[in-house]
Amino acid sequence: MFKEDLLKGKRILVTGGGSGLGKEMSRYFLQYGAEVLICGRRVSVLEETAKELMDEQGGSVKCYGLDIRGAQDVDNTINEIFEEGPIHGLVNNAAGNFISRTEDLSHRGFDAIASIVFHGTFYVTHSVGKRWLELGMGGNIISILATWVWTGGAFTVPSAMSKSGIYSMTQSLATEWGKTGIRINAIAPGPFPTEGAWARLSPGQDPDKASSDSSSYSQNPMGRVGEMEELGNLATFLMSDGCNYLNGQCIAIDGAEYLTGGNFYKSLSPLKDEDWDAIRDTIKTTNDKDKAKRSV
Ligand code: HXC
């Protein structure tokens, strides 16, 4: 779709780049010639991904173990990265989420999501942006949001609140930093099945089945889920030069699903206490497995 060297010479940092959407976008940046840096909490997962992408696409993928919830850790890692050479692009992709009735959330449950999505995304943006300003160079930021920034998100209130905050950051910084050559946009993906999101947002359902049997995805006006290439192409387009006047926007890529009312989780309203207990247990099993990988 694009010239093969479209992103040549660019270094792009993708938070949460070891898995899910971050990994897929990294694949496309690499394919179009960028050097890719991925950070995340699970170093073994990052390393596996870096190897897989380099074997497939060639080029260079560097890994940085980082939990973006720690402001000082973020500054240290961004310093380390800039000492090796400045980056030109940042994708705020790292996120945390799970479905829950809001009344069932503990304060720590709210914080677990807000500290990644709201605080962590700001820390990384702030740290990278400050260095770009010090160096007098421009830069390009894309944040991965959700269409819940327009519709609200029942049963995912901490994520919807946090992502809405990052939408506001996107609009605010586009105007505050407009003259500096830093531009900042966002993507709101609809259903792009990934293991991490599906395990916590549609527990018990197989993300591979959603992809392969997408004709049955009837709640979407296009009757299917998104294909990674479609997201990869949009991220590549936004990351490239040539549309620099595009600034402060959030672009939905969801087959027009949110225009039907953004009511995906309405179907959860009839669920009973025992259903929510089962959902919570299933998500907990996923989280425990992920934690075990973090200690590797
Ligand atoms: C209620 C829950 C819960 C659940 C965790 N908690 N899961 N509460 N229902 N299902 C509570 C815990 O009980 C605990 O509170 C608190 O949250 C912290 O839990 P930990 O497991 O210790 O947290 P932590 O290890 O920090 O994990 C963070 C996480 C986890 C967000 C909870 O899910 C995670 O690591 N996620 C990263 C990957 C991810 O979520 N990917 C999907 C992103 S999808 P108490 O009070 O009991 O101590 C996404 C898509 C959005 O963002 C848009 C889609 C359209």
Side-chain angles (χ1 to χ4, degrees):
M1 176 165 171
F2 302 113
K3 284 188 194 152
E4 61 185 30
D5 60 351
L6 185 74
L7 300 178
K8 199 164 189 301
K10 292 192 191 295
R11 299 180 81 222
I12 301 171
L13 172 63
V14 181
T15 67
S19 58
L21 303 184
K23 175 178 173 181
E24 296 306 322
M25 288 184 284
S26 297
R27 192 189 303 277
Y28 288 89
F29 296 151
L30 201 59
Q31 181 185 327
Y32 289 108
E35 182 187 337
V36 177
L37 297 78
I38 55 179
C39 66
R41 291 181 287 176
R42 296 170 298 166
V43 176
S44 59
V45 172
L46 294 173
E47 285 172 351
E48 262 171 51
T49 293
K51 184 174 180 320
E52 180 192 321
L53 295 184
M54 286 191 287
D55 285 349
E56 184 190 295
Q57 307 286 344
S60 162
V61 180
K62 288 191 177 153
C63 305
Y64 300 83
L66 173 67
D67 185 336
I68 63 168
R69 290 178 287 192
Q72 192 55 54
D73 294 338
V74 168
D75 276 342
N76 293 345
T77 302
I78 298 301
N79 266 338
E80 183 189 333
I81 288 173
F82 272 77
E83 269 166 28
E84 291 158 9
I87 58 168
H88 308 91
L90 164 68
V91 181
N92 287 316
N93 166 76
N97 203 357
F98 52 76
I99 51 168
S100 172
R101 288 189 300 205
T102 301
E103 59 272 32
D104 294 342
L105 284 171
S106 66
H107 296 153
R108 272 172 43 87
F110 175 85
D111 290 347
I113 294 169
S115 62
I116 302 173
V117 181
F118 187 65
H119 291 251
T121 304
F122 175 79
Y123 297 153
V124 180
T125 305
H126 177 248
S127 195
V128 170
K130 275 200 318 191
R131 273 149 198 88
W132 281 338
L133 293 172
E134 278 159 22
L135 293 168
M137 60 183 279
N140 194 339
I141 303 171
I142 302 171
S143 298
I144 302 304
L145 301 181
T147 56
W148 306 331
V149 302
W150 296 299
T151 62
F155 305 105
T156 51
V157 166
S159 167
M161 287 171 66
S162 300
K163 290 204 180 249
S164 298
I166 301 305
Y167 183 31
S168 179
M169 180 188 80
T170 303
Q171 295 177 310
S172 308
L173 285 180
T175 54
E176 186 176 333
W177 286 348
K179 282 215 170 77
T180 67
I182 299 172
R183 70 192 178 95
I184 174 163
N185 291 292
I187 297 176
F192 284 82
T194 64
E195 216 178 291
W198 248 233
R200 295 173 177 97
L201 300 176
S202 305
Q205 291 176 31
D206 184 344
D208 291 333
K209 284 217 177 99
S211 308
S212 58
D213 183 26
S214 50
S215 59
S216 66
Y217 204 77
S218 56
Q219 71 214 10
N220 185 285
M222 292 179 72
R224 66 172 176 90
V225 296
E227 287 174 19
M228 288 304 173
E229 189 183 6
E230 295 168 326
L231 177 69
N233 285 336
L234 176 58
T236 302
F237 168 73
L238 285 176
M239 199 43 87
S240 64
D241 298 324
C243 57
N244 292 349
Y245 208 42
L246 202 172
N247 201 5
Q249 302 305 307
C250 180
I251 301 176
I253 177 162
D254 72 338
E257 186 164 320
Y258 95 89
L259 295 175
T260 66
N263 57 4
F264 183 57
Y265 288 114
K266 251 191 207 160
S267 59
L268 299 176
S269 293
L271 295 188
K272 301 194 171 63
D273 288 351
E274 53 271 29
D275 300 320
W276 280 108
D277 289 345
I279 286 174
R280 196 185 163 105
D281 288 347
T282 311
I283 295 173
K284 189 172 182 314
T285 307
T286 302
N287 289 345
D288 289 345
K289 276 192 204 148
D290 273 10
K291 270 187 209 162
K293 279 196 192 153
R294 262 178 257 157
S295 57
V296 173

